[in-house]
mmCIF file of all heavy atoms in Angstrom:
data_model
loop_
_atom_site.group_PDB
_atom_site.id
_atom_site.type_symbol
_atom_site.label_atom_id
_atom_site.label_comp_id
_atom_site.label_asym_id
_atom_site.label_seq_id
_atom_site.Cartn_x
_atom_site.Cartn_y
_atom_site.Cartn_z
ATOM 1 N N ILE F 19 -91.318 167.769 -27.464
ATOM 2 C CA ILE F 19 -90.528 167.629 -26.178
ATOM 3 C C ILE F 19 -89.458 168.623 -26.349
ATOM 4 O O ILE F 19 -88.678 168.553 -27.241
ATOM 5 C CB ILE F 19 -90.059 166.257 -25.967
ATOM 6 C CG1 ILE F 19 -91.189 165.177 -25.965
ATOM 7 C CG2 ILE F 19 -89.248 166.010 -24.694
ATOM 8 C CD1 ILE F 19 -90.922 163.832 -26.160
ATOM 9 N N LYS F 20 -89.314 169.541 -25.353
ATOM 10 C CA LYS F 20 -88.268 170.573 -25.320
ATOM 11 C C LYS F 20 -87.394 170.413 -24.164
ATOM 12 O O LYS F 20 -87.779 169.958 -23.080
ATOM 13 C CB LYS F 20 -88.957 171.999 -25.275
ATOM 14 C CG LYS F 20 -89.806 172.325 -26.459
ATOM 15 C CD LYS F 20 -90.356 173.637 -26.288
ATOM 16 C CE LYS F 20 -91.347 173.903 -27.537
ATOM 17 N NZ LYS F 20 -92.101 175.072 -27.402
ATOM 18 N N GLY F 21 -86.125 170.638 -24.320
ATOM 19 C CA GLY F 21 -85.145 170.600 -23.271
ATOM 20 C C GLY F 21 -83.923 171.394 -23.540
ATOM 21 O O GLY F 21 -83.869 172.188 -24.612
ATOM 22 N N PRO F 22 -82.942 171.454 -22.700
ATOM 23 C CA PRO F 22 -81.722 172.332 -22.867
ATOM 24 C C PRO F 22 -80.886 171.919 -24.176
ATOM 25 O O PRO F 22 -80.161 172.718 -24.665
ATOM 26 C CB PRO F 22 -80.909 172.085 -21.659
ATOM 27 C CG PRO F 22 -81.464 170.904 -20.941
ATOM 28 C CD PRO F 22 -82.909 170.732 -21.427
ATOM 29 N N LEU F 23 -81.031 170.613 -24.555
ATOM 30 C CA LEU F 23 -80.195 170.236 -25.713
ATOM 31 C C LEU F 23 -81.024 170.286 -27.091
ATOM 32 O O LEU F 23 -80.444 169.890 -28.085
ATOM 33 C CB LEU F 23 -79.638 168.795 -25.549
ATOM 34 C CG LEU F 23 -78.803 168.574 -24.447
ATOM 35 C CD1 LEU F 23 -78.338 167.187 -24.303
ATOM 36 C CD2 LEU F 23 -77.537 169.456 -24.573
ATOM 37 N N GLY F 24 -82.267 170.766 -26.985
ATOM 38 C CA GLY F 24 -82.980 170.969 -28.342
ATOM 39 C C GLY F 24 -84.503 170.542 -28.048
ATOM 40 O O GLY F 24 -85.000 170.531 -26.954
ATOM 41 N N GLU F 25 -85.033 170.301 -29.234
ATOM 42 C CA GLU F 25 -86.487 169.932 -29.216
ATOM 43 C C GLU F 25 -86.659 168.786 -30.212
ATOM 44 O O GLU F 25 -86.203 168.827 -31.213
ATOM 45 C CB GLU F 25 -87.160 171.285 -29.773
ATOM 46 C CG GLU F 25 -88.662 171.048 -29.810
ATOM 47 C CD GLU F 25 -89.333 172.420 -30.363
ATOM 48 O OE1 GLU F 25 -88.881 173.514 -30.009
ATOM 49 O OE2 GLU F 25 -90.354 172.352 -31.141
ATOM 50 N N LEU F 26 -87.575 167.913 -29.764
ATOM 51 C CA LEU F 26 -87.869 166.711 -30.568
ATOM 52 C C LEU F 26 -89.267 166.611 -30.636
ATOM 53 O O LEU F 26 -90.088 167.022 -29.718
ATOM 54 C CB LEU F 26 -87.343 165.457 -29.919
ATOM 55 C CG LEU F 26 -85.778 165.304 -29.982
ATOM 56 C CD1 LEU F 26 -85.376 164.036 -29.202
ATOM 57 C CD2 LEU F 26 -85.215 165.225 -31.293
ATOM 58 N N SER F 27 -89.833 166.061 -31.718
ATOM 59 C CA SER F 27 -91.253 165.762 -31.811
ATOM 60 C C SER F 27 -91.504 164.264 -32.080
ATOM 61 O O SER F 27 -90.609 163.613 -32.588
ATOM 62 C CB SER F 27 -91.932 166.553 -32.989
ATOM 63 O OG SER F 27 -91.240 166.147 -34.274
ATOM 64 N N MET F 28 -92.616 163.763 -31.622
ATOM 65 C CA MET F 28 -92.854 162.413 -31.638
ATOM 66 C C MET F 28 -94.311 162.101 -32.007
ATOM 67 O O MET F 28 -95.158 162.831 -31.440
ATOM 68 C CB MET F 28 -92.543 161.707 -30.369
ATOM 69 C CG MET F 28 -92.822 160.294 -30.198
ATOM 70 S SD MET F 28 -92.290 159.826 -28.573
ATOM 71 C CE MET F 28 -93.453 158.603 -28.255
ATOM 72 N N ASP F 29 -94.590 161.185 -32.880
ATOM 73 C CA ASP F 29 -96.044 160.800 -33.270
ATOM 74 C C ASP F 29 -96.428 159.784 -32.273
ATOM 75 O O ASP F 29 -95.717 158.686 -32.042
ATOM 76 C CB ASP F 29 -96.076 160.307 -34.642
ATOM 77 C CG ASP F 29 -95.877 161.430 -35.732
ATOM 78 O OD1 ASP F 29 -96.165 162.525 -35.450
ATOM 79 O OD2 ASP F 29 -95.389 161.013 -36.842
ATOM 80 N N VAL F 30 -97.604 160.056 -31.710
ATOM 81 C CA VAL F 30 -98.217 159.083 -30.688
ATOM 82 C C VAL F 30 -99.620 158.550 -31.220
ATOM 83 O O VAL F 30 -100.338 159.348 -31.804
ATOM 84 C CB VAL F 30 -98.502 159.718 -29.363
ATOM 85 C CG1 VAL F 30 -99.149 158.857 -28.298
ATOM 86 C CG2 VAL F 30 -97.191 160.409 -28.821
ATOM 87 N N PRO F 31 -99.800 157.256 -31.164
ATOM 88 C CA PRO F 31 -101.113 156.731 -31.721
ATOM 89 C C PRO F 31 -102.251 157.312 -31.005
ATOM 90 O O PRO F 31 -102.195 157.699 -29.873
ATOM 91 C CB PRO F 31 -100.996 155.247 -31.440
ATOM 92 C CG PRO F 31 -99.499 154.941 -31.300
ATOM 93 C CD PRO F 31 -98.913 156.150 -30.820
ATOM 94 N N ALA F 32 -103.439 157.368 -31.569
ATOM 95 C CA ALA F 32 -104.553 158.064 -31.030
ATOM 96 C C ALA F 32 -105.130 157.383 -29.848
ATOM 97 O O ALA F 32 -105.668 157.982 -28.885
ATOM 98 C CB ALA F 32 -105.601 158.089 -32.066
ATOM 99 N N TYR F 33 -104.902 156.062 -29.738
ATOM 100 C CA TYR F 33 -105.459 155.382 -28.602
ATOM 101 C C TYR F 33 -104.591 155.327 -27.347
ATOM 102 O O TYR F 33 -104.928 154.882 -26.364
ATOM 103 C CB TYR F 33 -105.819 153.889 -28.959
ATOM 104 C CG TYR F 33 -104.617 153.157 -29.650
ATOM 105 C CD1 TYR F 33 -103.609 152.648 -29.044
ATOM 106 C CD2 TYR F 33 -104.694 153.081 -31.113
ATOM 107 C CE1 TYR F 33 -102.567 152.012 -29.677
ATOM 108 C CE2 TYR F 33 -103.667 152.482 -31.761
ATOM 109 C CZ TYR F 33 -102.571 151.885 -31.049
ATOM 110 O OH TYR F 33 -101.499 151.268 -31.653
ATOM 111 N N VAL F 34 -103.336 156.011 -27.492
ATOM 112 C CA VAL F 34 -102.414 156.161 -26.367
ATOM 113 C C VAL F 34 -102.572 157.626 -25.678
ATOM 114 O O VAL F 34 -102.571 158.569 -26.479
ATOM 115 C CB VAL F 34 -100.999 155.909 -26.732
ATOM 116 C CG1 VAL F 34 -100.021 156.173 -25.544
ATOM 117 C CG2 VAL F 34 -100.785 154.451 -27.298
ATOM 118 N N ASN F 35 -102.979 157.680 -24.467
ATOM 119 C CA ASN F 35 -103.136 158.953 -23.814
ATOM 120 C C ASN F 35 -101.972 159.266 -22.840
ATOM 121 O O ASN F 35 -101.547 158.379 -22.127
ATOM 122 C CB ASN F 35 -104.406 158.895 -22.967
ATOM 123 C CG ASN F 35 -105.677 158.610 -23.790
ATOM 124 O OD1 ASN F 35 -105.880 159.035 -24.976
ATOM 125 N ND2 ASN F 35 -106.434 157.745 -23.325
ATOM 126 N N ILE F 36 -101.484 160.585 -22.879
ATOM 127 C CA ILE F 36 -100.434 160.897 -22.113
ATOM 128 C C ILE F 36 -100.911 161.886 -20.976
ATOM 129 O O ILE F 36 -101.625 162.813 -21.312
ATOM 130 C CB ILE F 36 -99.313 161.620 -22.828
ATOM 131 C CG1 ILE F 36 -98.763 160.823 -23.926
ATOM 132 C CG2 ILE F 36 -98.212 162.152 -21.881
ATOM 133 C CD1 ILE F 36 -97.800 161.405 -24.911
ATOM 134 N N ASN F 37 -100.813 161.503 -19.761
ATOM 135 C CA ASN F 37 -101.392 162.244 -18.572
ATOM 136 C C ASN F 37 -100.213 162.850 -17.865
ATOM 137 O O ASN F 37 -99.263 162.070 -17.426
ATOM 138 C CB ASN F 37 -102.206 161.406 -17.716
ATOM 139 C CG ASN F 37 -103.342 160.633 -18.504
ATOM 140 O OD1 ASN F 37 -103.973 161.180 -19.323
ATOM 141 N ND2 ASN F 37 -103.484 159.392 -18.165
ATOM 142 N N GLN F 38 -100.245 164.145 -17.645
ATOM 143 C CA GLN F 38 -99.243 164.801 -16.747
ATOM 144 C C GLN F 38 -99.896 165.118 -15.459
ATOM 145 O O GLN F 38 -100.572 166.095 -15.321
ATOM 146 C CB GLN F 38 -98.774 166.044 -17.550
ATOM 147 C CG GLN F 38 -97.599 166.789 -16.870
ATOM 148 C CD GLN F 38 -96.354 165.926 -16.864
ATOM 149 O OE1 GLN F 38 -96.035 165.288 -17.791
ATOM 150 N NE2 GLN F 38 -95.554 166.053 -15.835
ATOM 151 N N ASP F 39 -99.547 164.222 -14.426
ATOM 152 C CA ASP F 39 -99.917 164.509 -13.094
ATOM 153 C C ASP F 39 -98.815 165.221 -12.291
ATOM 154 O O ASP F 39 -97.701 164.789 -12.196
ATOM 155 C CB ASP F 39 -100.250 163.080 -12.400
ATOM 156 C CG ASP F 39 -100.889 163.214 -11.083
ATOM 157 O OD1 ASP F 39 -101.305 164.277 -10.649
ATOM 158 O OD2 ASP F 39 -101.044 162.224 -10.430
ATOM 159 N N PRO F 40 -99.196 166.331 -11.734
ATOM 160 C CA PRO F 40 -98.152 167.136 -10.956
ATOM 161 C C PRO F 40 -97.574 166.406 -9.701
ATOM 162 O O PRO F 40 -96.497 166.623 -9.315
ATOM 163 C CB PRO F 40 -98.845 168.478 -10.495
ATOM 164 C CG PRO F 40 -100.280 168.261 -10.951
ATOM 165 C CD PRO F 40 -100.418 167.080 -11.667
ATOM 166 N N ALA F 41 -98.366 165.456 -9.198
ATOM 167 C CA ALA F 41 -97.906 164.673 -7.998
ATOM 168 C C ALA F 41 -96.843 163.749 -8.479
ATOM 169 O O ALA F 41 -96.016 163.277 -7.573
ATOM 170 C CB ALA F 41 -99.111 163.995 -7.366
ATOM 171 N N LEU F 42 -96.809 163.217 -9.549
ATOM 172 C CA LEU F 42 -95.842 162.140 -10.081
ATOM 173 C C LEU F 42 -94.659 162.908 -10.783
ATOM 174 O O LEU F 42 -94.807 163.950 -11.279
ATOM 175 C CB LEU F 42 -96.566 161.223 -11.067
ATOM 176 C CG LEU F 42 -97.727 160.434 -10.581
ATOM 177 C CD1 LEU F 42 -98.428 159.711 -11.690
ATOM 178 C CD2 LEU F 42 -97.183 159.416 -9.436
ATOM 179 N N PRO F 43 -93.470 162.243 -10.843
ATOM 180 C CA PRO F 43 -92.366 162.875 -11.418
ATOM 181 C C PRO F 43 -92.347 163.083 -12.949
ATOM 182 O O PRO F 43 -91.635 163.876 -13.461
ATOM 183 C CB PRO F 43 -91.198 161.847 -11.026
ATOM 184 C CG PRO F 43 -91.814 160.580 -10.670
ATOM 185 C CD PRO F 43 -93.161 160.904 -10.198
ATOM 186 N N GLY F 44 -93.016 162.261 -13.516
ATOM 187 C CA GLY F 44 -93.184 162.293 -15.006
ATOM 188 C C GLY F 44 -94.435 162.004 -15.591
ATOM 189 O O GLY F 44 -95.369 161.727 -14.845
ATOM 190 N N PRO F 45 -94.557 161.976 -16.855
ATOM 191 C CA PRO F 45 -95.897 161.724 -17.520
ATOM 192 C C PRO F 45 -96.225 160.221 -17.428
ATOM 193 O O PRO F 45 -95.353 159.379 -17.333
ATOM 194 C CB PRO F 45 -95.650 162.118 -18.987
ATOM 195 C CG PRO F 45 -94.301 162.044 -19.239
ATOM 196 C CD PRO F 45 -93.595 162.379 -17.909
ATOM 197 N N THR F 46 -97.548 159.942 -17.325
ATOM 198 C CA THR F 46 -97.976 158.472 -17.349
ATOM 199 C C THR F 46 -98.748 158.225 -18.632
ATOM 200 O O THR F 46 -99.447 159.192 -19.156
ATOM 201 C CB THR F 46 -98.888 158.280 -16.113
ATOM 202 O OG1 THR F 46 -99.984 159.096 -16.160
ATOM 203 C CG2 THR F 46 -98.116 158.393 -14.851
ATOM 204 N N LEU F 47 -98.662 157.016 -19.142
ATOM 205 C CA LEU F 47 -99.363 156.632 -20.377
ATOM 206 C C LEU F 47 -100.478 155.628 -20.126
ATOM 207 O O LEU F 47 -100.360 154.796 -19.171
ATOM 208 C CB LEU F 47 -98.405 155.979 -21.354
ATOM 209 C CG LEU F 47 -97.277 156.830 -21.894
ATOM 210 C CD1 LEU F 47 -96.327 156.010 -22.717
ATOM 211 C CD2 LEU F 47 -97.736 158.075 -22.628
ATOM 212 N N THR F 48 -101.663 155.795 -20.758
ATOM 213 C CA THR F 48 -102.755 154.850 -20.699
ATOM 214 C C THR F 48 -103.214 154.602 -22.087
ATOM 215 O O THR F 48 -103.001 155.371 -23.014
ATOM 216 C CB THR F 48 -103.922 155.423 -19.875
ATOM 217 O OG1 THR F 48 -104.331 156.667 -20.408
ATOM 218 C CG2 THR F 48 -103.508 155.563 -18.365
ATOM 219 N N VAL F 49 -103.933 153.494 -22.308
ATOM 220 C CA VAL F 49 -104.478 153.112 -23.522
ATOM 221 C C VAL F 49 -106.001 153.001 -23.339
ATOM 222 O O VAL F 49 -106.490 152.807 -22.247
ATOM 223 C CB VAL F 49 -103.987 151.840 -24.132
ATOM 224 C CG1 VAL F 49 -102.461 151.979 -24.676
ATOM 225 C CG2 VAL F 49 -104.003 150.718 -23.153
ATOM 226 N N GLU F 50 -106.680 153.134 -24.403
ATOM 227 C CA GLU F 50 -108.205 152.993 -24.393
ATOM 228 C C GLU F 50 -108.752 151.656 -24.032
ATOM 229 O O GLU F 50 -109.548 151.449 -23.125
ATOM 230 C CB GLU F 50 -108.847 153.501 -25.755
ATOM 231 C CG GLU F 50 -108.646 154.946 -26.007
ATOM 232 C CD GLU F 50 -109.075 155.300 -27.375
ATOM 233 O OE1 GLU F 50 -109.545 154.434 -28.070
ATOM 234 O OE2 GLU F 50 -108.883 156.525 -27.678
ATOM 235 N N ASP F 51 -108.072 150.593 -24.647
ATOM 236 C CA ASP F 51 -108.587 149.192 -24.389
ATOM 237 C C ASP F 51 -107.270 148.339 -23.997
ATOM 238 O O ASP F 51 -106.504 148.067 -24.794
ATOM 239 C CB ASP F 51 -109.204 148.613 -25.584
ATOM 240 C CG ASP F 51 -109.725 147.183 -25.309
ATOM 241 O OD1 ASP F 51 -109.848 146.783 -24.190
ATOM 242 O OD2 ASP F 51 -110.103 146.566 -26.350
ATOM 243 N N ALA F 52 -107.039 148.138 -22.698
ATOM 244 C CA ALA F 52 -105.932 147.364 -22.204
ATOM 245 C C ALA F 52 -105.955 145.917 -22.656
ATOM 246 O O ALA F 52 -104.996 145.186 -22.398
ATOM 247 C CB ALA F 52 -105.802 147.548 -20.719
ATOM 248 N N THR F 53 -107.119 145.412 -23.080
ATOM 249 C CA THR F 53 -107.021 143.984 -23.517
ATOM 250 C C THR F 53 -106.812 143.755 -24.952
ATOM 251 O O THR F 53 -106.468 142.681 -25.315
ATOM 252 C CB THR F 53 -108.555 143.398 -23.257
ATOM 253 O OG1 THR F 53 -109.433 144.158 -24.003
ATOM 254 C CG2 THR F 53 -108.843 143.406 -21.782
ATOM 255 N N ASP F 54 -106.749 144.831 -25.775
ATOM 256 C CA ASP F 54 -106.404 144.803 -27.254
ATOM 257 C C ASP F 54 -104.876 144.534 -27.352
ATOM 258 O O ASP F 54 -104.088 145.236 -26.789
ATOM 259 C CB ASP F 54 -106.816 145.984 -27.952
ATOM 260 C CG ASP F 54 -106.520 145.935 -29.418
ATOM 261 O OD1 ASP F 54 -106.446 144.757 -29.902
ATOM 262 O OD2 ASP F 54 -106.390 146.999 -30.034
ATOM 263 N N LYS F 55 -104.456 143.495 -28.104
ATOM 264 C CA LYS F 55 -103.068 143.044 -28.144
ATOM 265 C C LYS F 55 -102.215 144.167 -28.826
ATOM 266 O O LYS F 55 -101.116 144.501 -28.342
ATOM 267 C CB LYS F 55 -102.891 141.827 -28.948
ATOM 268 C CG LYS F 55 -101.580 141.265 -28.905
ATOM 269 C CD LYS F 55 -101.552 139.915 -29.702
ATOM 270 C CE LYS F 55 -100.135 139.312 -29.562
ATOM 271 N NZ LYS F 55 -100.062 138.055 -30.187
ATOM 272 N N LYS F 56 -102.738 144.836 -29.867
ATOM 273 C CA LYS F 56 -101.927 145.894 -30.561
ATOM 274 C C LYS F 56 -101.761 147.137 -29.635
ATOM 275 O O LYS F 56 -100.622 147.671 -29.533
ATOM 276 C CB LYS F 56 -102.700 146.334 -31.843
ATOM 277 C CG LYS F 56 -101.873 147.396 -32.562
ATOM 278 C CD LYS F 56 -102.467 147.645 -33.929
ATOM 279 C CE LYS F 56 -101.895 148.824 -34.619
ATOM 280 N NZ LYS F 56 -100.598 148.625 -35.190
ATOM 281 N N GLN F 57 -102.896 147.564 -28.979
ATOM 282 C CA GLN F 57 -102.770 148.703 -28.078
ATOM 283 C C GLN F 57 -101.863 148.403 -26.916
ATOM 284 O O GLN F 57 -101.114 149.286 -26.453
ATOM 285 C CB GLN F 57 -104.152 149.061 -27.556
ATOM 286 C CG GLN F 57 -104.981 149.730 -28.614
ATOM 287 C CD GLN F 57 -106.356 150.253 -27.995
ATOM 288 O OE1 GLN F 57 -106.447 150.430 -26.824
ATOM 289 N NE2 GLN F 57 -107.343 150.408 -28.868
ATOM 290 N N LYS F 58 -101.854 147.193 -26.356
ATOM 291 C CA LYS F 58 -100.960 146.835 -25.274
ATOM 292 C C LYS F 58 -99.537 146.879 -25.671
ATOM 293 O O LYS F 58 -98.667 147.374 -24.966
ATOM 294 C CB LYS F 58 -101.352 145.320 -24.780
ATOM 295 C CG LYS F 58 -101.678 145.305 -23.320
ATOM 296 C CD LYS F 58 -102.272 143.997 -23.058
ATOM 297 C CE LYS F 58 -101.382 143.094 -22.164
ATOM 298 N NZ LYS F 58 -102.002 141.938 -21.754
ATOM 299 N N SER F 59 -99.221 146.419 -26.913
ATOM 300 C CA SER F 59 -97.856 146.411 -27.326
ATOM 301 C C SER F 59 -97.331 147.733 -27.641
ATOM 302 O O SER F 59 -96.178 148.153 -27.397
ATOM 303 C CB SER F 59 -97.646 145.500 -28.511
ATOM 304 O OG SER F 59 -98.383 145.995 -29.671
ATOM 305 N N MET F 60 -98.197 148.641 -28.191
ATOM 306 C CA MET F 60 -97.837 149.949 -28.453
ATOM 307 C C MET F 60 -97.679 150.837 -27.223
ATOM 308 O O MET F 60 -97.078 151.920 -27.165
ATOM 309 C CB MET F 60 -98.722 150.636 -29.452
ATOM 310 C CG MET F 60 -98.656 150.110 -30.873
ATOM 311 S SD MET F 60 -96.975 150.237 -31.642
ATOM 312 C CE MET F 60 -96.794 152.005 -31.577
ATOM 313 N N TRP F 61 -98.305 150.441 -26.191
ATOM 314 C CA TRP F 61 -98.259 151.140 -24.918
ATOM 315 C C TRP F 61 -96.833 151.142 -24.503
ATOM 316 O O TRP F 61 -96.335 152.269 -24.159
ATOM 317 C CB TRP F 61 -99.222 150.414 -23.945
ATOM 318 C CG TRP F 61 -99.548 151.070 -22.573
ATOM 319 C CD1 TRP F 61 -99.051 152.245 -22.125
ATOM 320 C CD2 TRP F 61 -100.287 150.472 -21.555
ATOM 321 N NE1 TRP F 61 -99.545 152.428 -20.886
ATOM 322 C CE2 TRP F 61 -100.332 151.412 -20.477
ATOM 323 C CE3 TRP F 61 -101.067 149.309 -21.480
ATOM 324 C CZ2 TRP F 61 -101.035 151.155 -19.389
ATOM 325 C CZ3 TRP F 61 -101.776 149.122 -20.248
ATOM 326 C CH2 TRP F 61 -101.803 150.020 -19.265
ATOM 327 N N GLY F 62 -96.287 149.966 -24.298
ATOM 328 C CA GLY F 62 -94.872 149.951 -23.854
ATOM 329 C C GLY F 62 -93.867 150.611 -24.804
ATOM 330 O O GLY F 62 -92.953 151.179 -24.397
ATOM 331 N N THR F 63 -94.089 150.377 -26.194
ATOM 332 C CA THR F 63 -93.233 150.945 -27.168
ATOM 333 C C THR F 63 -93.236 152.462 -27.110
ATOM 334 O O THR F 63 -92.185 153.066 -27.147
ATOM 335 C CB THR F 63 -93.627 150.445 -28.519
ATOM 336 O OG1 THR F 63 -93.649 149.026 -28.576
ATOM 337 C CG2 THR F 63 -92.681 150.940 -29.608
ATOM 338 N N THR F 64 -94.436 152.947 -27.016
ATOM 339 C CA THR F 64 -94.599 154.557 -26.956
ATOM 340 C C THR F 64 -93.860 155.009 -25.748
ATOM 341 O O THR F 64 -93.222 156.101 -25.693
ATOM 342 C CB THR F 64 -95.978 154.909 -26.975
ATOM 343 O OG1 THR F 64 -96.641 154.322 -28.188
ATOM 344 C CG2 THR F 64 -96.244 156.382 -27.118
ATOM 345 N N ARG F 65 -94.080 154.293 -24.536
ATOM 346 C CA ARG F 65 -93.431 154.754 -23.327
ATOM 347 C C ARG F 65 -91.930 154.787 -23.383
ATOM 348 O O ARG F 65 -91.298 155.657 -23.030
ATOM 349 C CB ARG F 65 -93.881 153.839 -22.199
ATOM 350 C CG ARG F 65 -93.466 154.315 -20.869
ATOM 351 C CD ARG F 65 -93.016 153.206 -19.849
ATOM 352 N NE ARG F 65 -91.977 152.358 -20.295
ATOM 353 C CZ ARG F 65 -90.696 152.633 -20.182
ATOM 354 N NH1 ARG F 65 -90.265 153.807 -19.695
ATOM 355 N NH2 ARG F 65 -89.785 151.711 -20.559
ATOM 356 N N ALA F 66 -91.319 153.732 -24.207
ATOM 357 C CA ALA F 66 -89.932 153.653 -24.251
ATOM 358 C C ALA F 66 -89.353 154.792 -25.162
ATOM 359 O O ALA F 66 -88.346 155.414 -24.948
ATOM 360 C CB ALA F 66 -89.521 152.306 -24.867
#
């Protein structure tokens, strides 16, 4: 992630997908299996 104040890197779990849609103001996150408890909890954590 690059910006005017610097550059940061972040590790994202393999089952979390980041989609950059030009119509939306920012990136959107999805997970492979929305019913899995671990994936669901990491979805919100990764977004934050």
Side-chain angles (χ1 to χ4, degrees):
I19 303 165
K20 296 178 185 175
L23 296 179
E25 180 178 325
L26 293 175
S27 62
M28 179 179 146
D29 290 333
V30 178
Y33 49 83
V34 176
N35 303 315
I36 301 174
N37 305 319
Q38 185 65 37
D39 187 8
L42 297 174
T46 56
L47 298 176
T48 57
V49 289
E50 293 173 357
D51 183 14
T53 58
D54 184 25
K55 188 174 182 177
K56 181 174 172 70
Q57 288 187 21
K58 232 166 112 174
S59 63
M60 286 305 294
W61 191 359
T63 303
T64 305
R65 188 213 60 80

